[in-house]
Amino acid sequence: MSHWMVDLLLNPDTFFRERADQEAGLKFPLLCVLLAGLAMAPGAYKSVEITGSLFSPEMQSYMWFGGLIAAIFVVITAFLMFIAVAIVFYLISAAFKGQGDIIKTFEVAGYGFLPMVFGSILSSAVYYYYAPSIALPQVDPTTEAGMEAMGQAIASAPMTMISAILGILFLLWSANIWIFGMRHARALTLRHALITVGLPVGIYIIIQIWSLGVL
């Protein structure tokens, strides 16, 4: 693993301090976002494939296409998340009179996706490991009630729970990178950087935990 990558993952304060006066570059941040999306794609494909047994043999022959669409969708979603994260961080930091080009914020947001690459690889592996053991209700998936029952079965499956927990843990790792990144990119105090990142990330995590039925 490259030295800069180790610094980014384990010592983000030093990583971003050294780059504070450099011109923003989006090449590697966008690569991090792309890799995170690609790492999520196998899990998304598998989640569609799981439901294949409930459809007619004729429809099952097209499930690969549905899986492909789902895989492409999560890659696009990764980039939409990247844009949303950067804009939200920029707006909140503006309330603390943060300074610095918005491109710097996009750079920080993209670098923060690197831990999600590892988390998404593990999450996809979990999907493939647990998929053969998932028990789907024998319902007609073409009806609204059938779709709802099937969705509940997948949502309560161990693979979904484990994947969500992994997502939260690696998101916290990303948040640590974002905090120090925003501190240097927008000339914030550590407290203001913590609020800038912690507020939206905290809300997102609460929503995720609520969706698991814990709250």
Side-chain angles (χ1 to χ4, degrees):
M1 190 178 288
S2 301
H3 178 69
W4 70 265
M5 199 177 294
V6 174
D7 272 351
L8 172 62
L9 292 171
L10 303 180
N11 194 2
D13 191 24
T14 299
F15 177 84
F16 287 111
R17 185 188 300 117
E18 292 175 349
R19 284 163 175 74
D21 297 327
Q22 297 178 12
E23 188 176 345
L26 294 179
K27 179 182 173 183
F28 286 108
L30 286 175
L31 181 61
C32 292
V33 177
L34 176 62
L35 291 176
L38 291 175
M40 287 190 283
Y45 184 93
K46 195 65 179 178
S47 66
V48 173
E49 189 181 65
I50 289 170
T51 63
S53 60
L54 297 178
F55 290 89
S56 64
E58 194 174 74
M59 290 190 68
Q60 286 182 29
S61 62
Y62 293 99
M63 293 307 291
W64 68 269
F65 184 70
L68 180 62
I69 295 296
I72 294 173
F73 179 76
V74 295
V75 175
I76 295 173
T77 299
F79 281 96
L80 294 177
M81 283 178 60
F82 158 66
I83 294 171
V85 163
I87 292 175
V88 169
F89 288 172
Y90 186 82
L91 292 177
I92 296 177
S93 64
F96 297 122
K97 303 187 184 306
Q99 302 174 354
D101 197 305
I102 191 171
I103 301 300
K104 273 283 187 184
T105 301
F106 272 96
E107 182 184 44
V108 169
Y111 275 127
F113 273 70
L114 186 57
M116 298 184 201
V117 176
F118 306 117
S120 297
I121 290 173
L122 288 175
S123 181
S124 290
V126 166
Y127 265 74
Y128 275 81
Y129 180 80
Y130 282 100
S133 62
I134 187 171
L136 292 177
Q138 295 304 305
V139 295
D140 182 355
T142 61
T143 65
E144 184 177 345
M147 286 290 290
E148 185 176 346
M150 191 168 61
Q152 289 177 351
I154 293 176
S156 60
M159 65 179 190
T160 307
M161 301 286 284
I162 295 172
S163 177
I165 292 170
L166 285 172
I168 290 172
L169 292 177
F170 280 89
L171 177 60
L172 290 173
W173 193 354
S174 294
N176 184 57
I177 291 173
W178 285 328
I179 288 169
F180 291 105
M182 290 304 295
R183 180 186 184 188
H184 294 291
R186 297 280 284 160
L188 300 173
T189 65
L190 182 58
R191 178 171 173 270
H192 287 166
L194 183 62
I195 296 172
T196 297
V197 175
L199 183 62
V201 170
I203 293 173
Y204 179 81
I205 289 176
I206 290 173
I207 293 173
Q208 287 294 301
I209 294 175
W210 179 78
S211 69
L212 292 175
V214 177
L215 297 179

